[in-house]
Amino acid sequence: MNAVVLLAVAALLFFCNVTCHALDKVTFLTNWYAEAEHGGFYQAVAEGIYEKYGLDVKIGMGGPQVNVYQLLLAEKADFVMGYDVATINAVEQNLPLITVAANFQSEPVGLIAHPDVERIEDLRTRTLLIGQASETTYWPWLKAKYGFTEVQKRPYAYSVQQFLVDRNIAQQGYITSEPYAIEKAGIKPKIFHLAKYGYPPYAQTVVTLTKTVKAKPDMIKRFIEASALGWKSYLKNPAPGNALIRKDNPQMDDDQIAFSIAKLKEYGIVDGGDARKLGLFTMTDARWKRTFEFMRDAGLVKSGVDVHKAYTLEFVKRIRVLP
């Protein structure tokens, strides 16, 4: 084979490598403004992990006025960051949504109290600031398990100011976020991570359309595996992902990001529980069953709903990215 032919073959191979294997374009919507809690996904973009898996991923930010499930149903995204309770409710309404992986092995929500509170049961004597959205998630669970009452509940305004001025107040909050503002004000709060006390849902799940599972199973597998590798990398060296987080959300400061990462590690939010043995983003039938039973018992879903329609283990069983 002469030099001209060799050059022609090389050019053909290069052309095919660029054009014959075009990256699959994927849009992923998160549940809030860019933050450390989304770090592994940004890391997978920053380090080219998605690209290595044949994906061109665009991360879109959620927020208080963004309904990611509506956008998914309108096919404005391929995946959204969901929540077990919401997905089970969607299935009850016969909406074609399904969970394919779980980023957070436990919901990082907790009750935040003043340091003199020793046990979660002691909060029965305190005023509790609880947000409206919690009425259909963990508030019914708290009432049933610990005897908290509507009388002691007050609306949560998504600010720690009331907490700071009244020692009789405890409030809801993300354990990776609100305690940071409280500590900056000079109080070391007591944190009761609800998952530790039995609150069962996963969080930051990866949700897609049921038709996507049928039409693009390989793309889904690649997205989950690349995202898991992004999170594994982020927990070791978050700098690349943090740069993209700050680009999308300039108000996110370095200290807040560092605090959130420390809490993600401390509480094993990403790499704890079943993820230690089964791999990041894993799920199990047992956990989904527990979540459904809590919702059913709290009157949040009808007993006849088939919870298996809310999720599939098809992909996480084929992926094993250990922490």
Side-chain angles (χ1 to χ4, degrees):
M1 187 177 293
N2 60 40
V4 174
V5 174
L6 285 172
L7 286 172
V9 170
L12 180 62
L13 290 172
F14 176 80
F15 176 79
C16 190
N17 187 53
V18 173
T19 62
C20 298
H21 302 285
L23 301 178
D24 292 325
K25 293 186 179 296
V26 173
T27 299
F28 174 56
L29 298 182
T30 68
N31 59 357
W32 199 249
Y33 305 119
E35 56 187 356
E37 288 86 341
H38 307 154
F41 299 104
Y42 281 96
Q43 187 91 345
V45 173
E47 295 199 319
I49 299 173
Y50 285 132
E51 189 172 352
K52 291 176 184 176
Y53 276 74
L55 303 172
D56 177 8
V57 175
K58 176 185 177 182
I59 300 176
M61 292 191 296
Q65 307 303 321
V66 179
N67 187 320
V68 295
Y69 281 14
Q70 286 185 356
L71 292 172
L72 178 59
L73 289 166
E75 300 188 32
K76 301 297 184 182
D78 300 284
F79 302 101
V80 299
M81 192 175 283
Y83 184 45
D84 300 1
V85 173
T87 308
I88 292 172
N89 285 147
V91 167
E92 183 178 25
Q93 300 172 48
N94 294 314
L95 298 177
L97 304 179
I98 189 165
T99 305
V100 293
N103 176 201
F104 282 2
Q105 293 301 297
S106 61
E107 164 74 296
V109 71
L111 291 180
I112 303 168
H114 284 271
D116 62 306
V117 178
E118 295 184 2
R119 305 179 307 150
I120 192 170
E121 291 86 352
D122 296 337
L123 294 175
R124 284 193 288 257
T125 64
R126 305 292 173 109
T127 297
L128 299 179
L129 303 183
I130 303 293
Q132 185 176 4
S134 307
E135 298 277 357
T136 54
T137 55
Y138 52 82
W139 177 241
W141 177 83
L142 284 168
K143 289 196 296 182
K145 189 174 179 75
Y146 294 106
F148 299 151
T149 66
E150 293 293 325
V151 173
Q152 68 180 125
K153 180 168 67 71
R154 298 289 184 273
Y156 177 48
Y158 295 90
S159 167
V160 300
Q161 293 308 309
Q162 292 184 71
F163 179 92
L164 295 176
V165 299
D166 189 344
R167 294 181 61 85
N168 190 54
I169 281 179
Q171 66 164 66
Q172 70 172 57
Y174 252 36
I175 60 177
T176 54
S177 181
E178 276 81 359
Y180 171 73
I182 293 171
E183 288 187 16
K184 283 188 69 176
I187 298 175
K188 184 73 172 178
K190 193 69 169 285
I191 300 173
F192 298 98
H193 182 204
L194 299 189
K196 178 182 177 182
Y197 295 89
Y199 185 60
Y202 295 110
Q204 291 198 178
T205 54
V206 178
V207 180
T208 190
L209 297 173
T210 53
K211 70 177 185 180
T212 304
V213 170
K214 297 177 182 178
K216 301 179 179 179
D218 180 64
M219 183 272 285
I220 293 173
K221 178 181 179 295
R222 285 183 283 131
F223 178 76
I224 297 171
E225 187 166 359
S227 299
L229 288 169
W231 270 101
K232 181 173 182 175
S233 171
Y234 184 73
L235 292 175
K236 292 179 179 179
N237 174 30
N242 288 345
L244 291 187
I245 289 172
R246 287 191 295 269
K247 182 178 178 180
D248 272 4
N249 183 11
Q251 296 183 3
M252 184 57 61
D253 64 67
D254 292 341
D255 289 343
Q256 172 69 80
I257 290 176
F259 180 91
S260 297
I261 293 172
K263 292 302 178 184
L264 288 173
K265 292 179 178 180
E266 178 183 348
Y267 289 91
I269 300 297
V270 176
D271 56 0
D274 293 322
R276 291 193 179 98
K277 293 183 178 180
L278 302 179
L280 304 180
F281 280 71
T282 196
M283 303 186 296
T284 67
D285 289 314
R287 279 286 297 279
W288 277 93
K289 182 174 183 288
R290 285 173 54 204
T291 297
F292 173 75
E293 289 174 345
F294 130 67
M295 291 179 65
R296 179 200 61 201
D297 295 345
L300 300 177
V301 67
K302 294 178 181 176
S303 60
V305 172
D306 182 2
V307 69
H308 295 94
K309 292 183 178 180
Y311 71 99
T312 177
L313 303 183
E314 171 187 350
F315 303 102
V316 296
K317 283 186 174 181
R318 296 162 57 196
I319 296 168
R320 191 176 175 83
V321 178
L322 293 174

